[in-house]
Amino acid sequence: MSATTVDRNALNFSGGPGVLPARVLAETQQAIASVPGVGLSILGISHRSDWFAGLIEQIERDLRALLDLPDSYGVLLLQGGATLQFSMVPMLLLRGSGRTAEYLRTGYWSAKSIVPARLEGEVRVLWDGEAQGFRRLPMVDELEYSPEAAYLHYVSNETVEGLQFHCVPGRDGVRRVCDMSSDFLSRPIDIERFDLIYAHAQKNLGPAGVTLVIIRRALLEQVPPGIPEILDYRAHLQARSVYNTPPVLAIYVVSRVLRWLREDIGGLERMGALNRCKAECLYGVIDCYPDIYEGWARPLDRSWMNVVFRLKRPEWEAEFLDRAEQAGFSGLKGHRALGGVRASLYNGLSLQAVERLAKFMIDFARHGI
């Protein structure tokens, strides 16, 4: 691997797939040639092997240690991304319940989750931020939760708009479902306040192809009839996440990321502190140069994972992105739905990389226009 390649990986601010730690890249490169202790390429190891069963068990142990996750929750490694969970969740919790599910529509991805839910039953959108351009999240006094709701669903971090909940919405006693695809394991959470969490891997956990689900086992005591077995969480729990052929390589990378989080970072408290530091580094530049940069999200709701901003003039924005690419930065162009600039600061991105981008932004503001 050349120095140029390493540098480009280190400066990858893509919204997804996100950057992976250097240690994980090196271990994956080794595994593609030959998994230590196995002697086979990870691309040729059977998902029915004892080695792979042990890998699944190791992932679960590491997750339980990181989250202090009790046995009352099951851990699943599924496929289909968060998009499939948009359907699997209401199939389980809404279909035939005669109750209403409550959703928060706070951005691009939470909006997409509502359409499949409506195929399974009644949905009430408690709050919709579209009229305000998805620039902020709801305040506590703007939400009136029903104690009779089937569940509350929300997205903890909206990657497109750079919005993140820094508290846990909802009413304790009502099932709480959260799409944590872009901030799972980025900071500590009180796991027992959630009944179901899902997160696709390609932000903080690994490459695309695997989706992690944490589900309270009590939810599976009454499952509506007629759910195809492959969409039934019980079938996947019984099969230990090997109901059908799983993405072995992607799961292996997830295992390496979890080990990196435990051994190199030291857990979620330290990961959260580092991620907050990275975000404050960039927001500080944006706030220091208001004539050049304009942050998208209300400061109270700014994401630690996705720093979204615009430059005051379109021509400045094009010049900024062009110069950033020349300087070795990747993935800074904003999502196609919103445009602008987006710097994604997922777990694998180092503080040093963020500081380099901050310096680039300062130099551009002072001398680049």
Side-chain angles (χ1 to χ4, degrees), residues 69-70 72-76 85 89 92-93 99 149-154 168-180 189-198 212-221 233 237:
L69 183 67
S72 54
Y73 289 85
V75 175
L76 292 169
Q85 294 305 306
V89 167
L92 172 67
L93 299 179
R99 298 158 78 184
Y151 61 91
L152 170 74
H153 178 283
Y154 75 102
V168 177
R171 181 188 183 114
D172 291 342
V174 172
R175 294 163 174 167
R176 185 180 281 109
V177 177
C178 187
D179 177 353
M180 291 190 184
I189 58 172
D190 183 355
I191 192 69
E192 295 205 59
R193 297 193 70 189
F194 298 90
D195 293 274
L196 194 154
I197 290 170
Y198 60 91
L212 193 140
V213 174
I214 295 176
I215 184 168
R216 194 185 295 273
R217 296 183 193 274
L219 297 186
L220 302 175
E221 293 173 358
Y233 294 107
L237 277 170

